[in-house]
Amino acid sequence: GAPGRSATRSSQAASAAPTPSAPGPNAAVRRASKGGRAITAANSARIATVATGRTAPPATAARSPAVRASPNSSQSSHIFVSRTTQAAMIIILSPAKSLDYDTPPHVAAYSQPEHLDDAEPLVQTLRSRSPVELSSLMDISDSLAALNAARYAQWSRPFTPGNAKPAVLAFDGDVYEGLDARTLSAAQLDWAQRHLRILSGLYGVLRPLDLMQPYRLEMGTRLATPRGRDLYAYWGPRIARALDEAAQGMRRPVLVNLASEEYFKAVDR
């Protein structure tokens, strides 16, 4: 799970760490951030503009060489992203608390999450907690705790279209309403598959078409594991490495941070 509405709030965490002397696991993130090329934004309509080329409602961009006001608007009310920048862009989102597993996917394409081997131990840990313990751990109601206890009890591998759903079609919060992935064509989803990443407390990093079984586990949850006292310690440099791999082959990659501070903190570790 994730901060549904808070995913649309402006993150203050996009300032980059100093560039290391040698490339590290988050080298792409730091390269993208150098010189002000990391972009923090909080308008879900901008995601639709970047990913699909649609015209966006008014939005305000951070000053960056990668994003500039559309020349068609003296009020800078639209965001224009050049084709060159789009080709070297990695967009990161927070997940959403709300999920939609009732609406069938409109495309047959799907992929497998890359961090299921890391997700499974977390599920096993959560299975050992009672609904009362989950309620306290996640600060959720008794009914939500019971729902998620059942979800973790049913979580199983392998993931198939019969027991899971592509992540970008399963998340249903404000940002995902703005993205409106159910209306995207196969070609637009293919672009998103290469350029969009969803951060997750359970799955680490998800591509849009990665199959996902329902869950709730916010990145800020203080779930102790053998790797440390919380999920930031659990994921360590793995998320940054995944973003670095996504940017491989891109010339001067641009990191577009649309994630909340809670989630972006998991990137630069």
Side-chain angles (χ1 to χ4, degrees):
R5 296 189 179 277
S6 65
T8 60
R9 296 173 185 162
S10 178
S11 168
Q12 301 299 318
S15 57
T19 304
S21 56
N26 52 358
V29 175
R30 286 174 172 164
R31 284 198 304 271
S33 301
K34 187 177 181 181
R37 295 182 63 83
I39 306 162
T40 301
N43 192 300
S44 63
R46 185 176 310 160
I47 303 167
T49 302
V50 169
T52 71
R54 299 168 180 156
T55 300
T60 303
R63 290 190 177 273
S64 165
V67 176
R68 61 183 183 276
S70 166
N72 297 324
S73 172
S74 60
Q75 300 296 321
S76 301
S77 61
H78 297 88
I79 301 304
F80 175 78
V81 181
S82 71
R83 290 185 181 276
T84 301
T85 298
Q86 288 183 35
M89 181 181 292
I90 297 295
I91 305 167
I92 57 173
L93 302 180
S94 301
K97 293 177 182 178
S98 300
L99 302 174
D100 176 10
Y101 278 83
D102 297 323
T103 306
H106 67 291
V107 293
Y110 65 87
S111 51
Q112 292 291 335
E114 298 177 335
H115 301 282
L116 284 179
D117 288 344
D118 291 305
E120 191 164 15
L122 290 175
V123 171
Q124 293 171 350
T125 298
L126 291 163
R127 279 177 178 164
S128 68
R129 305 293 183 93
S130 69
V132 172
E133 291 172 322
L134 290 178
S135 176
S136 176
L137 175 70
M138 300 182 182
D139 193 22
I140 55 178
S141 67
D142 292 343
S143 59
L144 279 176
L147 170 63
N148 284 282
R151 285 172 171 172
Y152 287 119
Q154 295 166 6
W155 196 95
S156 64
R157 299 174 67 177
F159 282 16
T160 70
N163 65 17
K165 186 177 180 179
V168 77
L169 301 174
F171 289 122
D172 198 31
D174 290 348
V175 169
Y176 296 89
E177 290 177 7
L179 178 57
D180 200 10
R182 287 171 287 187
T183 67
L184 298 184
S185 67
Q188 289 169 328
L189 285 170
D190 180 66
W191 187 94
Q193 184 78 350
R194 289 179 280 117
H195 295 276
L196 179 65
R197 295 295 183 268
I198 303 169
L199 308 184
S200 166
L202 178 62
Y203 295 104
V205 180
L206 290 164
R207 294 166 296 181
L209 295 176
D210 281 353
L211 291 176
M212 183 185 86
Q213 291 184 9
Y215 77 102
R216 178 154 175 165
L217 186 62
E218 298 182 28
M219 189 65 77
T221 303
R222 295 180 67 86
L223 178 67
T225 71
R227 294 181 186 173
R229 64 180 184 178
D230 56 24
L231 293 178
Y232 298 113
Y234 186 82
W235 287 108
R238 292 168 180 80
I239 290 175
R241 286 173 183 161
L243 297 178
D244 199 38
E245 290 170 5
Q248 290 297 318
M250 293 183 180
R251 184 179 179 184
R252 297 184 67 201
V254 177
L255 179 70
V256 182
N257 176 30
L258 297 171
S260 66
E261 182 175 1
E262 174 185 0
Y263 280 83
F264 193 75
K265 280 172 58 179
V267 173
D268 193 16
R269 300 188 67 78

